[in-house]
Amino acid sequence: MALLEIRNLHATVDGKAILKGLNLTIDAGEVHAIMGPNGSGKSTLSYVLTGRAGYEVTDGEILFDGKDVIEMDPDERAREGVFLAFQYPVEIPGVTSMTFLRTAVNAVREHRGESVFDPMDFVKYVRERATDLNISDDMLKRAVNVGFSGGEKKRMEMLQMASLEPRIAILDETDSGLDIDALKVVADGVNAMRSPERGMLLITHYQRLLDYIVPDHVHVLANGQIVKSGDKALALELEEKGYAEFLENAA
Amino acid sequence: MQPYLAQALDASSTFAGAGVGWIDALRRAGADAYGEHGLPRRRDEYWRYTSLNALLDEGFQLSEAAPAIGLPTLPHPSVAGLATYRVVLVNGRVQPKLCALDGMPDDVLISGLEDLLAAAPDRLEPYLGQIAPLEDMPMAALNTAFLQDGMAIFIGENIILDKPVHLISITAPGEGAMMVQPRHLVVMGQGAQATLIETHITATGGSSFNNIVTEMQLAEGAKLNHFVFQEEADTSVHLSGTAVSLAAGSFYDSFVLQSGAAIGRSEIRAYLNGPGVDCRLDGVYLATGKQVVDNTTYVEHAAPECRSRQVYKGVLDGQARGVFQGKVHVMRDAQKTDGNQLSRALLLSPRAEIDARPELEIYADDVKCSHGATAGELDEDALFYLLSRGIPQATARRMLIEAFLSEAIAEIPLQPVAEDFSTHVRQWLAGHIDQPADGAGS
C-alpha cells in the first residue's frame, strides 16, 4: 500500500477552483518534489493535505496508509503522522517554544500509545535534536517564533519535524528566505530524517533546494494538476527552461 | 423614595458612631446624595453599559447578623501559603475570630472599621468620605448611608509593612436575597509601603448584592500594591468603587482579576494630586454565560510629571458582556503627563460582546497620552499552527487564550499572586473551554 495516495483531487479556496484533478502517489522511503510556477496550487496542496479551514475538497480522495484523510480534523491528521513545515511559520506570543513542542509531542505520542514525557525528560529529548540544528536553549525558552530570524524559524520547523517524527513530511517552500548557510543546516536536518518508513514531499519554486535534498521523483504542478513527472533531471530541465511551456499548455 | 434608602435611614441610627456629629452628618450626606441621584442609570456617564435594573425592585435586605462560619478553603491555592495579615469579613462585618493580626509593627493599625467608629472616630474623620466623591459615585453615596463596618488600615511614615494584608470578603446570603455595604479605608503615611490582597467570594445560598467602597490616601512617596480577586457566585451583583488620592512621588499599582458574579464591576478613580506619581491600573477578566464584567476607571492628572498606565484584558464566552470605560483626564497644570490605556478583549463566541470606551480629556499642551481598544477572535493562523502539530483543538484554544492573558498577569510583581492568578486562569479555561467551537478549524 502506498503511504500517501492522492486521486483526482479537486479543491477550492473561497469558491475558486485551485486543484483540478491532481494525482500523486508517495511510497514510504521516497522523497518527492513538486515544482511549479506561482499560483499553480502548490501551497493549496499543502493546506488541503493538512486540513486547513477554508480549503475545501470538492472531489477526489486522499488516502494516508489507506485511511481517508479528508474526514479528519487537522490535529487528528497530525497525530496520525502528517507534518507540514510552513512556508511562513506563525509567531505565537506568550507560548514558549518548549511548552509548545512538549504539548505537541505528547499529544502525538499519546495517540501512538507511547509514554508521554514529563518536562524534565522532554528537555533532554529536545536538546538532543536541537543541537544538530544549532538551536540554543535560549530560543527554546522564547515564545514560539517571536523575534526569530527567517533562518531560525525554518530551523525551528525542522526541530518540530525531528521531535514529532511524522510518517510523511510536507515541506512548503522551506528554502524561501534562507541564505546558503541556513539552507545547508535545514537540508541536513531534512536528510537526517530520510528513512525507509517515512515519505517526504518538497514543495518548491526553485531547483536550488534540490541540490541539497535530492529527490527520488520530481513533478510539475501547473494549473492545479501534475502535468509532468520525472526524476531529478526534470528539476534541472525546469531550471534551464522555466515554466513557460506548462503555462502555455495550461492556457 | 429611592430603593434601599429607607433601609439605610432605619438601620443607621443603630450603627456604631451614631450620635457622633460628623458621622451622623456623613451618613446623612450619603443618604442625601443617593436620594437625589438614585441608582445609577445608563444615562450616567460611568454607567452607560451596565444596567442595575436587577436592583430596582429592592429585593435585597441588609444582612443583620453574620452567620458564624469557619474560614473556607479559598478557591485558589497559593495566596493561602503566603504569610499575611488577615482580615475576614462575613456579610460585610469583620469576624475577629477569623482574623490574624498578631505582630503588627508599631505605628501600624489594621482594624475593623466598626471598632474604630466606636472607639476612635477622630482617627477616621480626616479621611472617611473625603476621598470618594459622592456626587460622582452614587453607589458610594448609598454605601455611605449604610456606613457601618469594613477594614481600616493606617500605616505610619516610612513603615515598610513586613507582610501583605489579605482581606477575605465572604458573602453568605443564606436563603434570601442579601445586601452588604462594606466600607474600607487605607491611609499610608509618607514613604510607607504595603501590599493589599483582596479575595471576594460567596458562600452557597440565595442571591446577594455586594456594594463595596474603598478609600485610599497615599502620602508623599508612599507605595501600595493592590491585588483584587473577585470570584463571587453567579447569583451575586458585585459592585466595587475605589477612590485613591495620590500625593507627590507616590506609587499605586492595582490589578483586578474578575471571573465571578452575574454583574461584576470594578470602578477605580485615581487622583494624581502631586508631581511624579506613578499609577498603574491593570486587570484581567473571564466571563461566560450571561455574566457582565465591567472595569471602569477615571484617572485625574492634576499635577505635572505623573505617569498612569492601564491595561485591561479579558476573555468573553457565551453571551457574556465586557465593559471597559476608562477616562484619563489631564488638567491644565499637568504638563509632562505620560498617560496611556489599553483594552483588549478576546471574543470566543459570536454572542459575546465588549463595550470599550477609552477616553482622553486633555487640557495641558505638553503631554504624551495614548489609548486603544481591540476586540477579536482567536488568531486563526496561530490556531491552525498548533492544530497542525497534533495539539487537540480544545488544548490549542486554551493555550492561545492563556498566552493572551499571561502577558498581563506577568506584570504582577508579587510572584505568589501572579502564580495564583495564572492557576485560576488555567482552571477557569479547563472548566469552560472544553468543546471545540462549532466548525472551527475544520
Side-chain angles (χ1 to χ4, degrees):
Chain A
M1 194 192 327
L3 181 63
L4 181 71
E5 190 164 359
I6 303 172
R7 291 187 198 145
N8 188 35
L9 184 64
H10 288 71
T12 60
V13 181
D14 293 331
K16 190 174 173 233
I18 307 289
L19 300 181
K20 303 168 186 171
L22 187 144
N23 293 289
L24 180 66
T25 301
I26 299 178
D27 285 322
E30 291 179 347
V31 174
H32 290 238
I34 286 192
M35 303 183 68
N38 292 328
S40 57
K42 300 194 300 291
S43 285
T44 297
L45 175 61
S46 68
Y47 288 140
V48 167
L49 290 175
T50 47
R52 184 165 198 155
Y55 292 76
E56 200 186 337
V57 174
T58 50
D59 199 5
E61 279 183 304
I62 305 171
L63 299 176
F64 177 60
D65 252 353
K67 287 182 230 168
D68 180 4
V69 164
I70 293 167
E71 291 305 312
M72 295 182 195
D73 287 336
D75 50 324
E76 213 179 334
R77 299 182 197 198
R79 290 194 295 273
E80 287 285 332
V82 178
F83 178 86
L84 170 64
F86 281 57
Q87 180 177 6
Y88 302 109
V90 180
E91 297 186 7
I92 306 184
V95 177
T96 67
S97 301
M98 191 61 97
T99 302
F100 163 62
L101 276 165
R102 189 180 67 242
T103 310
V105 168
N106 280 343
V108 169
R109 287 178 67 92
E110 202 178 344
H111 180 75
R112 289 185 194 142
E114 297 168 0
S115 64
V116 300
F117 287 111
D118 67 31
M120 294 297 283
D121 290 341
F122 187 71
V123 169
K124 242 175 78 186
Y125 176 85
V126 164
R127 268 200 197 127
E128 284 166 12
R129 288 156 177 79
T131 314
D132 294 338
L133 290 160
N134 204 10
I135 290 173
S136 64
D137 279 6
D138 176 61
M139 269 173 77
L140 294 169
K141 282 180 197 150
R142 280 152 64 190
V144 177
N145 292 321
V146 175
F148 288 12
S149 70
E152 284 172 333
K153 285 180 182 169
K154 294 296 168 82
R155 269 151 44 205
M156 193 57 87
E157 295 293 292
M158 294 305 105
L159 177 61
Q160 291 168 39
M161 177 167 77
S163 303
L164 291 167
E165 299 179 331
R167 304 278 318 285
I168 186 147
I170 304 153
L171 287 80
D172 187 5
E173 306 275 0
T174 288
D175 51 330
S176 70
L178 295 186
D179 64 26
I180 204 72
D181 293 329
L183 180 60
K184 280 180 184 161
V185 174
V186 167
D188 287 347
V190 174
N191 287 327
M193 292 290 291
R194 290 179 84 148
S195 101
E197 288 83 41
R198 184 171 290 127
M200 289 195 182
L201 179 59
L202 311 176
I203 293 174
T204 181
H205 186 88
Y206 300 104
Q207 190 271 336
R208 183 179 76 151
L209 178 71
L210 307 184
D211 288 342
Y212 299 92
I213 309 169
V214 180
D216 302 305
H217 302 276
V218 173
H219 313 275
V220 179
L221 179 63
N223 196 28
Q225 292 181 319
I226 302 286
V227 291
K228 191 167 184 180
S229 296
D231 61 12
K232 63 187 177 184
L234 177 57
L236 294 168
E237 192 186 319
L238 288 168
E239 180 79 350
E240 201 177 308
K241 294 186 184 163
Y243 294 107
E245 173 194 348
F246 305 106
L247 290 173
E248 279 160 24
N249 285 354
Chain B
M1 191 176 282
Q2 304 291 0
Y4 305 104
L5 192 53
Q7 281 197 56
L9 296 173
D10 282 353
S12 62
S13 60
T14 66
F15 290 167
V20 176
W22 72 267
I23 299 174
D24 286 341
L26 179 60
R27 287 182 179 136
R28 200 161 45 240
D32 289 348
Y34 173 75
E36 195 162 314
H37 192 283
L39 286 172
R41 280 143 297 187
R42 296 227 184 180
R43 67 167 179 258
D44 290 307
E45 185 179 357
Y46 292 98
W47 293 86
R48 197 160 294 184
Y49 304 105
T50 299
S51 161
L52 294 184
N53 285 347
L55 303 178
L56 271 179
D57 64 0
E58 206 171 345
F60 295 92
Q61 295 298 312
L62 190 68
S63 158
E64 287 177 7
I69 59 174
L71 192 60
T73 309
L74 298 182
H76 54 128
S78 70
V79 162
L82 193 69
T84 59
Y85 296 107
R86 189 171 67 227
V87 176
V88 180
L89 263 66
V90 176
N91 293 349
R93 309 296 294 279
V94 173
Q95 306 298 304
K97 284 183 183 161
L98 302 179
C99 295
L101 294 169
D102 289 344
M104 265 188 285
D106 290 344
D107 214 6
V108 171
L109 176 66
I110 305 171
S111 166
L113 187 75
E114 187 172 32
D115 290 347
L116 284 183
L117 282 169
D122 294 354
R123 208 143 177 203
L124 299 169
E125 189 178 0
Y127 311 105
L128 215 51
Q130 303 302 308
I131 303 163
L134 302 184
E135 66 281 8
D136 293 329
M137 301 176 79
M139 296 313 290
L142 179 63
N143 174 285
T144 302
F146 278 105
L147 183 78
Q148 182 183 20
D149 203 1
M151 177 188 64
I153 303 178
F154 291 85
I155 300 171
E157 276 183 23
N158 297 318
I159 303 276
I160 297 172
L161 195 59
D162 55 337
K163 291 183 284 191
V165 178
H166 189 190
L167 171 65
I168 299 169
S169 175
I170 304 161
T171 309
E175 296 301 306
M178 201 196 61
M179 166 171 74
V180 292
Q181 302 273 355
R183 179 67 165 247
H184 309 305
L185 176 67
V186 177
V187 178
M188 297 182 65
Q190 199 172 325
Q193 296 186 19
T195 296
L196 172 61
I197 303 166
E198 294 181 32
T199 303
H200 298 269
I201 52 176
T202 320
T204 49
S207 56
S208 55
F209 161 38
N210 194 358
N211 183 36
I212 305 158
V213 172
T214 306
E215 292 180 287
M216 298 181 163
Q217 178 157 313
L218 275 63
E220 285 80 4
K223 200 174 162 186
L224 179 64
N225 284 295
H226 187 194
F227 309 109
V228 178
F229 177 57
Q230 188 272 103
E231 174 59 357
E232 292 191 359
D234 59 8
T235 45
S236 159
V237 175
H238 172 100
L239 306 177
S240 165
T242 300
V244 192
S245 168
L246 296 160
S250 61
F251 172 83
Y252 177 64
D253 185 354
S254 160
F255 192 104
V256 178
L257 175 65
Q258 296 202 81
S259 63
I263 300 173
R265 174 173 155 112
S266 162
E267 175 179 354
I268 303 175
R269 299 177 71 92
Y271 298 89
L272 283 51
N273 293 324
V277 173
D278 190 353
C279 175
R280 299 181 187 173
L281 309 178
D282 296 334
V284 158
Y285 52 92
L286 305 153
T288 187
K290 292 188 171 180
Q291 283 182 286
V292 175
V293 53
D294 178 333
N295 286 288
T296 293
T297 63
Y298 171 77
V299 176
E300 184 175 277
H301 283 260
E305 292 171 2
C306 293
R307 203 161 76 108
S308 69
R309 191 198 65 178
Q310 306 170 47
V311 179
Y312 284 85
K313 290 177 111 175
V315 172
L316 299 162
D317 202 359
Q319 298 174 53
R321 204 156 57 76
V323 177
F324 174 77
Q325 283 198 97
K327 185 191 242 182
V328 177
H329 180 180
V330 181
M331 297 171 85
R332 209 169 47 127
D333 295 335
Q335 301 296 354
K336 308 279 184 198
T337 286
D338 181 350
N340 55 71
Q341 53 179 183
L342 179 65
S343 158
R344 292 188 63 195
L346 204 48
L347 303 174
L348 299 181
S349 111
R351 297 174 76 184
E353 181 184 326
I354 173 86
D355 294 298
R357 185 159 169 259
E359 200 181 347
L360 298 171
E361 190 174 326
I362 301 172
Y363 298 99
D365 49 21
D366 183 13
V367 301
K368 200 171 80 188
C369 286
S370 66
H371 63 176
T374 66
E377 298 167 25
L378 279 180
D379 179 352
E380 282 296 324
D381 289 343
L383 186 61
F384 178 67
Y385 194 65
L386 297 181
L387 296 176
S388 78
R389 275 27 180 170
I391 298 174
Q393 171 92 234
T395 309
R397 288 165 61 82
R398 284 198 293 262
M399 284 174 82
L400 292 177
I401 299 165
E402 197 184 323
F404 168 74
L405 297 176
S406 70
E407 284 180 306
I409 291 173
E411 299 275 322
I412 295 175
L414 188 61
Q415 198 56 33
V417 173
E419 283 170 16
D420 212 35
F421 282 12
S422 296
T423 303
H424 178 72
V425 165
R426 262 196 302 279
Q427 287 172 351
W428 190 93
L429 293 174
H432 292 88
I433 313 296
D434 48 359
Q435 295 301 318
D438 289 346
S442 59

